[in-house]
Amino acid sequence: MNRDESGYPRFSAPVRSGPNKPLQRTVAGRDYSPVMHKITTDVFGRTFECDCGRMHSIEPREIVYCDDAVGRLPALAAGESDGRAVCVLSDTRTRRAAGAAVADAMKSSGWDVHELAVEDPPGGRSPVCDDTTKDKLSAELCRPDIIVPVGAGVVSDLGKWLAFEHDLPCVTFATAASMNGYASANVAPAIEGVKELLRARPPVAVISAAPVLAEAPYELTAAGLGDVLAKSVSSADWKLNAVLFGEYYCPRAVSLIADIEPLYLENPEAIRDRRADAIEALYEALLLTGAAMTMAETSAPASGGEHLISHALDMMAARDGVEHDLHGRQVGLGTVLASALYRRVLEVESPRPVAPPEDVDRAFWGSLADAVAGHYAQKMPKYAAAADAITAGDTWDKLREALSRMVRPPERIRDVLGRASAAATAEGISCTRERLLAAVTHAHELRSRFTVLDLALLLGIMPAAADDLVTAWA
Ligand SMILES: [Zn+2]
Ligand SMILES: [Zn+2]
């Protein structure tokens, strides 16, 4: 395949655009670094044949990142919508950050604007993305032609979900570099208290402004850092599935943010200091991680065992009716722990698989036990297949070699989080040691996806190592 100077495939396939709509290109209000500008504009809105054998079509078609993002939004939305009725979705905080300005700009351009508020639940808690909230919003939706969610994880997911259900285009205005879901097709709601992953559709465009991202509450930006740091574990987990079960794997999706990572790994203090170039690098990495999930057609490149630790904390919070910390902050700590666990796993020279428990810990999950058990049951055949694979031929040696090149040391992850003033301890995510230990011990029960947590269980390292891990790394 034809390659450019940085080794990426050259995109020879025609650029995809909507029916009779010319593809608009990103206009940066400031100078992008050439590498990042190139990667972003070469990925989004493109259809290309990949070395992995698949044809990838990457939506959103357009990424706009400029200081005048609000002013550019009406024209952008007009290019994506057949009518002029817009639903602007925000919560009280994101309405202040940009939602009100977006609604005003749309009104001034002649749009019929319906503002829809994602209410805070009682007790001063932040909104959540769950089926109840979505159903309520869906009933209040006044037949718009386009949905513009203005917000971060929760509002962006709810907007994407509503747009998918009502078959409407969605243009997301991102208010924080806090998570990697903006550009992905996935929605990660709680349904009847259980953390699920639904496949919807990516927004047609994602728009934001540097000042809005820089002024977001810092804990949100720190959460974004945690979410992108997950990549070294999640990519390794994806590779693990490819080697053990012959599952699809795309090296290009894994290397998508390779050129951007050094910008925040080498200088995490710049994120803490809200330097424009660092926030931009983080935001681009988050968007491209969303593109990687589109390429994979699953969340695998961005969500492995480290995410399951965070999901376990979320579900324990749902079980107990209490709040949990931000997704990305939990994921950052989960990445430290999963990286440390990978180190233990990869030290094993001759694997001797042990049988995993046949069922989940029902007493622990309480009312959620049946739902959790359903996911776990789907994974049971994988334990048997993995046990066969790692004891056959030189598979284990090859796997150790491949994975040890991918996983970053836990010290490195912890150092980056610490220098960015992001949470890197149980206390930092407002969690007791006992609660975190329970999450680490039960996280593998949550999903059918096979991760380092399962490999460690199969090798007899978990659950025994959980206590040591939490003591040493959290
Ligand atoms: Zn590919
Ligand atoms: Zn995440």
Side-chain angles (χ1 to χ4, degrees), residues 84-90 95 99 102-104 106-107 111-117 136-150 162:
R84 289 292 174 274
V86 59
C87 168
V88 177
L89 186 70
S90 62
R95 188 174 189 280
V102 162
D104 285 348
M106 298 296 280
K107 269 180 214 153
W111 285 75
D112 177 11
V113 178
H114 176 224
E115 282 197 74
L116 197 53
K136 182 172 175 291
L137 292 168
S138 187
E140 293 169 2
L141 204 63
C142 297
R143 304 167 73 89
D145 300 302
I146 188 166
I147 296 184
V148 177
V150 180
L162 288 170

Side-chain angles (χ1 to χ4, degrees), residues 48-56 238 248-253 295-296:
F48 57 92
E49 192 186 322
C50 185
D51 282 355
C52 72
R54 285 194 186 176
M55 200 75 161
H56 298 306
W238 193 21
Y248 165 74
Y249 178 80
C250 171
R252 165 103 166 101
M295 289 164 78

Side-chain angles (χ1 to χ4, degrees), residues 179-180 227 302-303 307 327-328 331:
M179 53 97 218
N180 59 27
D227 215 15
S303 175
H307 265 69
H327 169 80
V331 167

